[in-house]
Coordinates of all heavy atoms in Angstrom, one line a residue:
M1050 N 168.1 -33.8 44.5 CA 169.5 -33.5 44.4 C 170.2 -34.9 44.1 O 170.0 -35.9 44.7 CB 170.1 -32.9 45.6 CG 171.5 -32.4 45.5 SD 172.1 -31.9 47.1 CE 173.8 -32.4 47.0
I1051 N 171.2 -34.9 43.2 CA 172.0 -36.1 42.9 C 173.4 -35.9 43.5 O 174.0 -34.9 43.4 CB 172.2 -36.2 41.4 CG1 170.8 -36.3 40.7 CG2 173.0 -37.4 41.0 CD1 170.0 -37.6 41.0
A1052 N 173.8 -37.0 44.2 CA 175.1 -37.0 44.9 C 175.9 -38.1 44.2 O 175.4 -39.1 43.7 CB 174.9 -37.3 46.3
K1053 N 177.2 -37.8 44.2 CA 178.1 -38.8 43.6 C 178.9 -39.5 44.7 O 179.5 -38.9 45.6 CB 179.1 -38.1 42.6 CG 179.8 -39.0 41.7 CD 180.6 -38.3 40.7 CE 181.3 -39.2 39.7 NZ 182.0 -38.6 38.7
C1054 N 178.9 -40.8 44.6 CA 179.6 -41.6 45.7 C 181.1 -41.4 45.6 O 181.7 -41.5 44.6 CB 179.3 -43.1 45.4 SG 180.1 -44.2 46.6
T1055 N 181.6 -41.1 46.8 CA 183.1 -40.8 46.9 C 183.9 -42.0 46.5 O 185.0 -41.9 46.0 CB 183.4 -40.4 48.4 OG1 182.6 -39.3 48.8 CG2 184.9 -40.1 48.6
F1056 N 183.4 -43.2 46.8 CA 184.2 -44.4 46.6 C 184.0 -44.9 45.2 O 185.0 -45.1 44.4 CB 183.8 -45.5 47.6 CG 184.7 -46.7 47.6 CD1 186.0 -46.6 48.0 CD2 184.2 -47.9 47.1 CE1 186.8 -47.7 47.9 CE2 185.0 -49.0 47.0 CZ 186.3 -48.9 47.5
C1057 N 182.8 -45.2 44.7 CA 182.6 -45.9 43.5 C 182.2 -44.9 42.3 O 182.3 -45.3 41.1 CB 181.5 -47.0 43.6 SG 179.8 -46.4 43.7
G1058 N 181.9 -43.7 42.6 CA 181.6 -42.7 41.6 C 180.2 -42.8 41.0 O 179.8 -42.1 40.1
K1059 N 179.3 -43.6 41.6 CA 178.0 -43.8 41.1 C 177.1 -42.6 41.5 O 177.2 -42.1 42.7 CB 177.4 -45.1 41.7 CG 176.0 -45.4 41.3 CD 175.6 -46.7 42.0 CE 174.1 -46.9 41.9 NZ 173.7 -48.1 42.8
E1060 N 176.3 -42.1 40.6 CA 175.4 -41.0 41.0 C 174.1 -41.5 41.4 O 173.5 -42.4 40.8 CB 175.3 -40.1 39.8 CG 176.6 -39.3 39.6 CD 176.5 -38.4 38.4 OE1 175.7 -38.6 37.5 OE2 177.4 -37.5 38.3
Q1061 N 173.6 -40.9 42.5 CA 172.4 -41.5 43.1 C 171.6 -40.4 43.9 O 172.3 -39.4 44.3 CB 172.8 -42.6 44.1 CG 171.6 -43.5 44.5 CD 172.2 -44.7 45.2 OE1 172.3 -45.8 44.6 NE2 172.6 -44.6 46.4
E1062 N 170.3 -40.5 44.1 CA 169.6 -39.6 45.0 C 170.2 -39.6 46.4 O 170.5 -40.7 46.9 CB 168.1 -40.1 45.1 CG 167.4 -40.0 43.8 CD 167.1 -38.6 43.3 OE1 166.9 -37.7 44.2 OE2 167.0 -38.4 42.1
D1063 N 170.5 -38.4 46.9 CA 171.3 -38.3 48.1 C 170.7 -39.0 49.3 O 171.3 -39.4 50.2 CB 171.7 -36.9 48.4 CG 170.6 -36.0 48.6 OD1 169.4 -36.4 48.5 OD2 170.8 -34.8 48.9
F1064 N 169.3 -39.1 49.4 CA 168.7 -39.6 50.6 C 168.9 -41.1 50.7 O 168.5 -41.8 51.6 CB 167.2 -39.2 50.7 CG 166.4 -39.5 49.5 CD1 165.9 -40.8 49.3 CD2 166.2 -38.5 48.5 CE1 165.2 -41.0 48.1 CE2 165.4 -38.8 47.4 CZ 164.9 -40.0 47.2
M1065 N 169.4 -41.7 49.6 CA 169.6 -43.2 49.6 C 170.8 -43.6 50.3 O 171.0 -44.8 50.7 CB 169.7 -43.7 48.2 CG 168.5 -43.3 47.3 SD 167.2 -44.6 47.3 CE 168.1 -46.0 46.6
G1066 N 171.8 -42.7 50.4 CA 173.1 -43.2 50.9 C 173.5 -42.6 52.2 O 172.7 -42.3 53.1
V1067 N 174.8 -42.6 52.4 CA 175.4 -42.2 53.7 C 176.2 -40.9 53.5 O 177.1 -40.9 52.6 CB 176.4 -43.3 54.2 CG1 176.9 -42.9 55.6 CG2 175.6 -44.6 54.3
Y1068 N 176.0 -39.9 54.3 CA 176.8 -38.7 54.3 C 177.7 -38.6 55.5 O 177.3 -38.9 56.6 CB 175.9 -37.4 54.3 CG 175.6 -36.9 53.0 CD1 174.4 -37.0 52.4 CD2 176.6 -36.2 52.3 CE1 174.2 -36.5 51.1 CE2 176.4 -35.7 51.0 CZ 175.2 -35.8 50.5 OH 175.0 -35.3 49.2
L1069 N 178.9 -38.3 55.3 CA 179.9 -38.2 56.4 C 180.5 -36.8 56.3 O 181.0 -36.3 55.3 CB 181.0 -39.1 56.2 CG 180.9 -40.6 56.7 CD1 182.1 -41.3 56.5 CD2 180.6 -40.5 58.2
L1070 N 180.3 -36.1 57.5 CA 180.9 -34.8 57.6 C 182.3 -34.9 58.3 O 182.4 -35.5 59.4 CB 180.1 -33.9 58.5 CG 179.2 -32.9 57.8 CD1 178.2 -32.3 58.8 CD2 180.0 -31.8 57.1
K1071 N 183.3 -34.5 57.6 CA 184.7 -34.6 58.2 C 185.0 -33.4 59.0 O 184.4 -32.3 58.8 CB 185.7 -34.8 57.0 CG 185.4 -36.2 56.3 CD 186.7 -36.6 55.6 CE 186.9 -35.8 54.4 NZ 188.1 -36.4 53.6
N1072 N 186.1 -33.5 59.8 CA 186.5 -32.4 60.7 C 186.9 -31.1 59.9 O 186.8 -30.0 60.4 CB 187.6 -32.8 61.6 CG 187.1 -33.8 62.6 OD1 186.0 -33.8 63.0 ND2 188.0 -34.7 63.1
D1073 N 187.4 -31.3 58.7 CA 187.9 -30.2 57.9 C 186.8 -29.5 57.2 O 187.0 -28.6 56.4 CB 189.0 -30.6 57.0 CG 188.6 -31.6 56.0 OD1 187.4 -31.9 55.9 OD2 189.5 -32.1 55.3
G1074 N 185.5 -30.0 57.4 CA 184.4 -29.3 56.7 C 183.9 -29.9 55.4 O 182.9 -29.6 54.9
S1075 N 184.7 -30.8 54.9 CA 184.3 -31.4 53.6 C 183.4 -32.6 53.9 O 183.3 -33.1 55.0 CB 185.5 -31.9 52.8 OG 186.2 -32.9 53.6
T1076 N 182.6 -33.0 52.9 CA 181.7 -34.1 53.1 C 182.1 -35.3 52.1 O 182.6 -35.1 51.0 CB 180.3 -33.7 52.7 OG1 180.2 -33.1 51.5 CG2 179.7 -32.8 53.8
N1077 N 181.9 -36.5 52.6 CA 182.1 -37.7 51.8 C 180.7 -38.3 51.7 O 179.9 -38.4 52.7 CB 183.0 -38.7 52.5 CG 184.4 -38.4 52.2 OD1 184.8 -37.5 51.5 ND2 185.3 -39.3 52.7
Y1078 N 180.3 -38.7 50.5 CA 179.0 -39.3 50.3 C 179.3 -40.8 49.8 O 180.1 -41.0 49.0 CB 178.2 -38.6 49.3 CG 177.0 -39.4 48.8 CD1 175.9 -39.5 49.6 CD2 177.0 -40.0 47.6 CE1 174.8 -40.3 49.2 CE2 176.0 -40.7 47.1 CZ 174.9 -40.9 48.0 OH 173.8 -41.7 47.6
Y1079 N 178.5 -41.7 50.3 CA 178.6 -43.1 49.9 C 177.2 -43.6 49.5 O 176.3 -43.3 50.2 CB 179.2 -44.0 51.0 CG 180.5 -43.6 51.4 CD1 180.7 -42.8 52.6 CD2 181.6 -43.9 50.7 CE1 182.0 -42.4 53.0 CE2 182.9 -43.5 51.1 CZ 183.1 -42.8 52.2 OH 184.3 -42.3 52.6
C1080 N 177.1 -44.3 48.4 CA 175.9 -44.7 47.8 C 175.3 -45.8 48.7 O 174.1 -46.1 48.6 CB 176.0 -45.1 46.4 SG 177.0 -46.6 46.1
G1081 N 176.1 -46.5 49.5 CA 175.5 -47.5 50.3 C 176.6 -48.0 51.3 O 177.7 -47.6 51.3
S1082 N 176.2 -48.9 52.2 CA 177.1 -49.4 53.2 C 178.3 -50.2 52.6 O 179.3 -50.3 53.2 CB 176.3 -50.3 54.2 OG 175.8 -51.4 53.6
K1083 N 178.0 -50.7 51.4 CA 179.1 -51.5 50.8 C 180.3 -50.6 50.5 O 181.4 -50.9 50.8 CB 178.6 -52.0 49.4 CG 179.5 -53.0 48.8 CD 178.8 -53.7 47.6 CE 178.7 -52.8 46.4 NZ 178.3 -53.6 45.2
C1084 N 180.1 -49.4 49.9 CA 181.1 -48.5 49.6 C 181.7 -47.9 50.9 O 182.9 -47.7 51.0 CB 180.6 -47.4 48.7 SG 180.3 -48.0 47.0
H1085 N 180.8 -47.5 51.8 CA 181.2 -46.9 53.1 C 182.2 -47.8 53.8 O 183.2 -47.4 54.2 CB 179.9 -46.7 53.9 CG 180.1 -46.0 55.2 ND1 179.2 -46.2 56.3 CD2 181.0 -45.2 55.6 CE1 179.7 -45.5 57.3 NE2 180.7 -44.8 56.9
K1086 N 181.8 -49.1 54.0 CA 182.7 -50.0 54.7 C 184.0 -50.2 53.9 O 185.1 -50.3 54.5 CB 182.0 -51.4 54.8 CG 181.0 -51.4 56.0 CD 180.4 -52.8 56.1 CE 179.3 -52.8 57.1 NZ 178.5 -54.0 56.9
S1087 N 183.9 -50.4 52.6 CA 185.1 -50.7 51.8 C 186.1 -49.5 52.0 O 187.3 -49.8 52.0 CB 184.7 -50.8 50.4 OG 183.9 -52.0 50.2
H1088 N 185.6 -48.3 52.0 CA 186.5 -47.2 52.0 C 187.1 -46.9 53.4 O 188.3 -46.8 53.6 CB 185.8 -45.9 51.5 CG 186.7 -44.8 51.1 ND1 186.2 -43.6 50.8 CD2 188.0 -44.8 50.8 CE1 187.3 -42.8 50.4 NE2 188.3 -43.6 50.4
L1089 N 186.2 -46.9 54.4 CA 186.7 -46.5 55.7 C 187.2 -47.7 56.6 O 188.2 -47.5 57.3 CB 185.5 -45.8 56.5 CG 185.1 -44.4 55.8 CD1 184.0 -43.8 56.6 CD2 186.3 -43.5 55.8
K1090 N 186.5 -48.8 56.6 CA 186.8 -49.9 57.5 C 187.9 -50.8 56.8 O 188.9 -51.1 57.4 CB 185.6 -50.7 57.9 CG 184.7 -50.0 58.8 CD 183.7 -50.9 59.4 CE 182.8 -50.1 60.4 NZ 181.6 -50.9 60.7
L1091 N 187.7 -51.1 55.6 CA 188.6 -52.0 54.9 C 189.8 -51.3 54.2 O 190.7 -51.9 53.8 CB 187.9 -52.9 53.9 CG 186.7 -53.6 54.5 CD1 185.9 -54.3 53.4 CD2 187.1 -54.6 55.5
K1092 N 189.6 -49.9 54.0 CA 190.6 -49.1 53.4 C 191.0 -49.7 52.0 O 192.2 -49.8 51.8 CB 191.8 -48.8 54.3 CG 191.4 -48.1 55.6 CD 192.6 -47.5 56.3 CE 192.2 -46.9 57.6 NZ 191.1 -46.0 57.6
R1093 N 190.0 -50.0 51.3 CA 190.4 -50.6 50.0 C 190.7 -49.5 49.0 O 190.3 -48.4 49.0 CB 189.1 -51.3 49.4 CG 188.9 -52.7 50.0 CD 187.7 -53.3 49.4 NE 187.6 -54.7 49.8 CZ 186.5 -55.4 49.7 NH1 185.4 -54.9 49.2 NH2 186.5 -56.7 50.1
D1094 N 191.6 -49.9 48.0 CA 191.9 -49.1 46.9 C 190.8 -49.2 45.9 O 190.5 -50.3 45.4 CB 193.3 -49.5 46.3 CG 193.7 -48.6 45.2 OD1 192.9 -47.8 44.7 OD2 194.9 -48.8 44.8
R1095 N 190.2 -48.0 45.5 CA 189.0 -48.1 44.7 C 189.4 -48.6 43.3 O 188.6 -49.1 42.5 CB 188.2 -46.8 44.6 CG 189.1 -45.6 44.3 CD 188.2 -44.4 44.4 NE 189.0 -43.2 44.7 CZ 188.6 -42.0 45.0 NH1 187.3 -41.8 44.9 NH2 189.4 -41.0 45.2
K1096 N 190.7 -48.5 42.9 CA 191.1 -49.0 41.6 C 191.2 -50.5 41.6 O 191.3 -51.1 40.6 CB 192.5 -48.4 41.2 CG 192.3 -47.0 40.8 CD 193.6 -46.3 40.4 CE 193.4 -44.9 40.0 NZ 194.7 -44.2 39.9
R1097 N 191.1 -51.1 42.8 CA 191.1 -52.6 42.8 C 189.8 -53.2 43.2 O 189.7 -54.4 43.3 CB 192.1 -53.0 43.9 CG 193.5 -52.7 43.6 CD 194.5 -53.1 44.6 NE 195.8 -53.3 44.1 CZ 196.7 -54.1 44.7 NH1 196.5 -54.7 45.8 NH2 197.9 -54.2 44.1
V1098 N 188.8 -52.3 43.2 CA 187.4 -52.9 43.6 C 186.5 -52.8 42.3 O 186.4 -51.7 41.7 CB 186.8 -52.0 44.7 CG1 185.4 -52.6 45.0 CG2 187.7 -52.1 45.9
S1099 N 186.0 -53.9 41.9 CA 185.4 -54.1 40.6 C 184.2 -53.2 40.3 O 183.9 -52.9 39.2 CB 185.0 -55.5 40.4 OG 184.1 -56.0 41.3
W1100 N 183.4 -52.8 41.3 CA 182.2 -52.0 41.0 C 182.5 -50.5 40.9 O 181.5 -49.7 40.8 CB 181.1 -52.3 42.1 CG 181.4 -51.7 43.5 CD1 181.1 -50.5 43.8 CD2 181.9 -52.4 44.6 NE1 181.4 -50.3 45.2 CE2 181.9 -51.5 45.7 CE3 182.4 -53.7 44.8 CZ2 182.4 -51.8 46.9 CZ3 182.8 -54.1 46.1 CH2 182.8 -53.1 47.1
T1101 N 183.7 -50.0 41.1 CA 183.9 -48.5 41.1 C 184.2 -48.0 39.7 O 184.6 -48.7 38.8 CB 185.1 -48.2 42.0 OG1 186.3 -48.7 41.4 CG2 185.0 -48.8 43.4
E1102 N 183.9 -46.7 39.6 CA 184.2 -46.0 38.3 C 185.7 -46.0 38.0 O 186.2 -46.1 36.9 CB 183.7 -44.5 38.5 CG 183.7 -43.7 37.2 CD 183.2 -42.3 37.5 OE1 183.7 -41.6 38.4 OE2 182.2 -41.9 36.8
A1103 N 186.5 -45.8 39.1 CA 188.0 -45.8 38.9 C 188.5 -47.1 38.3 O 189.4 -47.1 37.5 CB 188.7 -45.5 40.3
Y1104 N 187.9 -48.2 38.8 CA 188.3 -49.5 38.3 C 188.0 -49.7 36.8 O 188.8 -50.1 36.0 CB 187.6 -50.6 39.1 CG 187.9 -52.0 38.7 CD1 189.0 -52.7 39.2 CD2 187.2 -52.6 37.7 CE1 189.3 -54.0 38.8 CE2 187.4 -53.9 37.3 CZ 188.5 -54.6 37.9 OH 188.8 -55.9 37.4
R1105 N 186.7 -49.2 36.5 CA 186.3 -49.4 35.1 C 187.1 -48.5 34.2 O 187.5 -48.9 33.1 CB 184.8 -49.0 35.0 CG 183.9 -50.0 35.5 CD 182.4 -49.7 35.0 NE 181.9 -48.4 35.5 CZ 181.3 -48.2 36.6 NH1 181.1 -49.2 37.5 NH2 180.9 -47.0 37.0
N1106 N 187.5 -47.3 34.6 CA 188.3 -46.4 33.8 C 189.7 -47.1 33.6 O 190.2 -47.1 32.5 CB 188.5 -45.1 34.5 CG 187.3 -44.2 34.4 OD1 186.4 -44.5 33.6 ND2 187.2 -43.2 35.3
M1107 N 190.2 -47.7 34.6 CA 191.5 -48.3 34.5 C 191.4 -49.6 33.5 O 192.3 -49.8 32.7 CB 192.0 -48.8 35.8 CG 193.3 -48.2 36.2 SD 194.0 -48.8 37.7 CE 193.9 -50.6 37.6
H1108 N 190.3 -50.3 33.7 CA 190.1 -51.5 32.9 C 190.0 -51.2 31.4 O 190.6 -51.8 30.6 CB 188.8 -52.2 33.4 CG 188.8 -53.6 33.1 ND1 189.7 -54.5 33.7 CD2 188.1 -54.4 32.3 CE1 189.5 -55.7 33.2 NE2 188.5 -55.7 32.4
K1109 N 189.3 -50.1 31.1 CA 189.1 -49.6 29.7 C 190.5 -49.3 29.1 O 190.8 -49.7 27.9 CB 188.3 -48.3 29.7 CG 186.8 -48.6 29.5 CD 186.1 -47.2 29.4 CE 184.7 -47.4 29.8 NZ 184.1 -46.0 30.0
V1110 N 191.3 -48.7 29.8 CA 192.7 -48.3 29.4 C 193.5 -49.6 29.0 O 194.1 -49.7 28.0 CB 193.4 -47.5 30.4 CG1 194.9 -47.3 30.0 CG2 192.7 -46.1 30.6
K1111 N 193.3 -50.6 29.9 CA 194.1 -51.9 29.7 C 193.6 -52.6 28.4 O 194.4 -53.1 27.7 CB 193.8 -52.8 30.9 CG 194.8 -52.5 32.1 CD 194.6 -53.5 33.2 CE 195.5 -53.2 34.3 NZ 195.3 -54.1 35.5
I1112 N 192.3 -52.6 28.2 CA 191.7 -53.2 27.0 C 192.3 -52.5 25.8 O 192.7 -53.2 24.8 CB 190.2 -53.2 27.1 CG1 189.7 -54.1 28.2 CG2 189.6 -53.6 25.7 CD1 188.2 -54.0 28.5
K1113 N 192.3 -51.2 25.8 CA 192.8 -50.5 24.6 C 194.2 -50.8 24.4 O 194.6 -51.1 23.2 CB 192.7 -48.9 24.9 CG 191.5 -48.3 24.5 CD 191.6 -46.8 24.7 CE 190.2 -46.1 24.4 NZ 190.3 -44.7 24.8
V1114 N 195.0 -50.9 25.4 CA 196.5 -51.2 25.2 C 196.6 -52.6 24.6 O 197.4 -52.9 23.7 CB 197.2 -51.2 26.6 CG1 198.6 -51.7 26.5 CG2 197.2 -49.7 27.1
K1115 N 195.8 -53.6 25.1 CA 195.8 -55.0 24.6 C 195.5 -55.0 23.1 O 196.2 -55.7 22.4 CB 194.9 -55.8 25.4 CG 195.5 -56.4 26.7 CD 194.5 -57.3 27.4 CE 195.1 -57.7 28.8 NZ 194.2 -58.5 29.6
T1116 N 194.4 -54.3 22.7 CA 194.1 -54.4 21.3 C 195.1 -53.8 20.4 O 195.4 -54.2 19.3 CB 192.7 -53.8 21.1 OG1 192.7 -52.5 21.6 CG2 191.6 -54.6 21.6
Q1117 N 195.8 -52.7 20.9 CA 196.8 -52.1 20.2 C 198.0 -53.0 20.0 O 198.6 -53.1 18.9 CB 197.3 -50.8 20.9 CG 196.4 -49.6 20.6 CD 196.7 -48.4 21.4 OE1 197.5 -48.5 22.3 NE2 196.0 -47.3 21.2
E1118 N 198.3 -53.8 21.0 CA 199.4 -54.7 21.0 C 199.2 -55.8 19.9 O 200.1 -56.3 19.2 CB 199.6 -55.4 22.3 CG 200.4 -54.4 23.3 CD 200.4 -55.0 24.7 OE1 199.8 -56.0 25.0 OE2 201.1 -54.3 25.5
K1119 N 197.9 -56.3 19.8 CA 197.6 -57.3 18.9 C 197.8 -56.9 17.4 O 198.2 -57.7 16.6 CB 196.1 -57.8 19.0 CG 196.0 -58.8 20.2 CD 194.5 -59.2 20.4 CE 194.4 -60.0 21.6 NZ 193.0 -60.3 21.9
K1120 N 197.5 -55.6 17.1 CA 197.7 -55.1 15.8 C 199.2 -55.0 15.5 O 199.7 -55.4 14.5 CB 197.1 -53.7 15.6 CG 195.6 -53.8 15.5 CD 195.0 -52.3 15.5 CE 193.5 -52.3 15.6 NZ 193.0 -51.0 15.8
Ligands
ZN1418 ZN1 179.3 -46.2 45.9

């Protein structure tokens, strides 16, 4: 089974990472302690953390805007 990291969006075999069961019955999956700590302990915004999917998506948009401005 492949699980997707709640924080960085990376897809990985689920036995490699950390599963968290929340009180409302939903689960959070983290690909490693790096994402786990960043999300829960440091409460980082994933759009500001360079290794996440959210950051890369935002970055791509910025690059597109820049190249359009140059033209
Ligand atoms: Zn992750």
